[in-house]
Amino acid sequence: MTIGLTHFLVLSAAMFCMGVLCLLSRRNAIGLLMGVELIINAANINFVAFAHYFGNAIAGQMFALFGIVLAAVGVTVALAIVLA
């Protein structure tokens, strides 16, 4: 059995649903940040999977890297606001 695009999309959809569930159920800032991280990671999986299966692997990796940097900056700012 080979792993195809569908497997990555199902994994990404599951991570996205867990992130949304985490956003809706948590009340503290750390829980909300964890939900946002799950959603961003689901989007990154989609970027890399689509880029790999449709021929432009470097573009998907660059978008994923940009998403990781954006998530790190968002968490840093949010934690600074919470701690201040």
Side-chain angles (χ1 to χ4, degrees):
M1 181 171 123
T2 61
I3 297 176
L5 180 62
T6 308
H7 293 93
F8 288 109
L9 295 180
V10 168
L11 173 68
S12 178
M15 283 182 65
F16 183 81
C17 289
M18 286 188 287
V20 169
L21 181 66
C22 187
L23 280 177
L24 294 175
S25 65
R26 302 288 181 206
R27 295 289 178 209
N28 57 0
I30 303 298
L32 294 176
L33 290 174
M34 287 180 2
V36 170
E37 287 291 326
L38 282 172
I39 291 171
I40 292 173
N41 286 333
N44 288 338
I45 289 173
N46 276 338
F47 285 142
V48 173
F50 275 116
H52 175 73
Y53 284 101
F54 291 122
N56 195 0
I58 194 69
Q61 292 173 3
M62 292 304 293
F63 274 115
L65 184 64
F66 181 72
I68 291 168
V69 169
L70 186 66
V73 169
V75 167
T76 304
V77 170
L79 284 176
I81 290 171
V82 167
L83 292 176

